[in-house]
Amino acid sequence: LETIPAIAKEIIEQTENVTFDRAHFASYGDFSLNYEIVYIVTSGDYAIYMDAQQDINLALKQQFENRQIEFAYPTEVNYWTRLSENNSGSYTVPPVMDSADNSSANG
């Protein structure tokens, strides 16, 4: 974790039309470690800005792969249930069994 700002600095300093300003481990997110990396693009040309941004992002990904620094990809599990019609003509949601209930049902 402490090497990431140095990796970013090295990459940015080697990128054309860019001046490195700072890189810090800034905060903890709910499911992330957040880094603040700041650099200045020395041209007002949007295409040059986008080229620099792409070069930096691709170089960061390559360096992370080389150093076996992995990105965590968020996952989500959704449980769907069918509504069932009751005697009054309205619909109710049947209860969902949790893993504790499921284990006793299987024996």
Side-chain angles (χ1 to χ4, degrees):
L1 296 176
E2 54 275 347
T3 63
I4 291 173
I7 294 168
K9 180 179 180 181
E10 180 181 337
I11 289 168
I12 292 166
E13 287 179 339
Q14 294 174 7
T15 304
E16 289 185 37
N17 301 306
V18 173
T19 302
F20 175 80
D21 185 27
R22 65 185 179 275
H24 296 94
F25 173 43
S27 64
Y28 291 94
D30 289 339
F31 303 98
S32 63
L33 303 173
N34 301 325
Y35 287 81
E36 180 178 88
I37 300 170
V38 179
Y39 56 90
I40 296 121
V41 178
T42 57
S43 170
D45 185 323
Y46 188 72
I48 290 174
Y49 157 75
M50 288 302 298
D51 288 344
Q53 180 72 49
Q54 176 174 269
D55 291 346
I56 291 166
N57 286 340
L58 292 173
L60 282 169
K61 182 162 184 355
Q62 185 62 54
Q63 284 298 315
F64 284 14
E65 286 176 2
N66 292 348
R67 298 165 192 259
Q68 298 177 335
I69 299 170
E70 296 181 357
F71 288 95
Y73 294 98
T75 59
E76 183 176 15
V77 176
N78 294 306
Y79 296 96
W80 298 91
T81 60
R82 288 187 178 260
L83 295 176
S84 58
E85 188 173 1
N86 61 25
N87 293 338
S88 66
S90 61
Y91 289 89
T92 59
V93 177
V96 176
M97 292 181 7
D98 64 19
S99 59
D101 291 338
N102 195 19
S103 63
S104 63
N106 291 331

